[in-house]
Amino acid sequence: MAPVTVVEGVLAATALGGLAGFALAAVAWRQRQVPASRPLAALSLAGGLWATSDIVLFASPTVEAALVVDVVHSAIVVHVPFIWTVFVVVYTGHGEWLTRRRMALLWAPFGLFVVALTTAPWHGLSPTAVEFVTVHGWQVPDVADGPL
């Protein structure tokens, strides 16, 4: 049996983390009558989707697919701080602080970032270039960083 490479180990750990996120989201959702379980389910689901999108990005066969997956991946990742903040506020017993207006204000920067990502081909503020590089014998997409 061939030894596991670093890349294969990282992919396996990422897959396990994604599965754990999905499993925790399912458990939290089933217990949604418990305070803070819904934000915990959302946070766990975001973690599972984050790991899954990492793996899909790694496996992207074309530059175009890698760009699309990178935008979806970034949209998931950027919402984690918002979801985490909601979880913390509700978990600490201050759910009444989260009015519709405050939720909209909390979410606005993240939503604007996602809009900027999806409109990048028109303004160039975020990555629109991908090249494939070899890492430990694997061809992987390398997404260029933009100002955002």
Side-chain angles (χ1 to χ4, degrees):
M1 186 164 125
V4 175
T5 67
V6 171
V7 175
E8 291 167 337
V10 169
L11 285 174
T14 303
L16 286 174
L19 289 174
F22 290 133
L24 185 56
V27 170
W29 185 254
R30 280 192 220 117
Q31 301 296 321
R32 59 186 172 272
Q33 71 280 2
V34 176
S37 63
R38 289 179 186 200
L40 178 61
L43 189 59
S44 301
L45 180 62
L49 290 171
W50 184 341
T52 302
S53 65
D54 268 342
I55 292 170
V56 173
L57 179 62
F58 182 83
S60 295
T62 65
V63 170
E64 293 80 14
L67 279 172
V68 170
V69 173
D70 183 59
V71 169
V72 171
H73 169 79
S74 297
I76 293 166
V77 172
V78 78
H79 281 87
V80 169
F82 168 74
I83 299 168
W84 179 82
T85 302
V86 171
F87 169 71
V88 168
V89 169
V90 174
Y91 184 78
T92 57
H94 299 288
E96 72 279 358
W97 291 357
L98 298 174
T99 63
R100 286 183 187 265
R101 177 182 163 90
R102 288 180 182 150
M103 290 284 283
L105 289 172
L106 274 173
W107 178 80
F110 307 110
L112 290 173
F113 182 78
V114 172
V115 169
L117 281 177
T118 56
T119 58
W122 295 285
H123 55 66
L125 290 176
S126 60
T128 56
V130 175
E131 65 179 86
F132 282 84
V133 297
T134 303
V135 178
H136 296 285
W138 290 72
Q139 284 291 106
V140 296
D142 181 29
V143 180
D145 290 331
L148 292 179

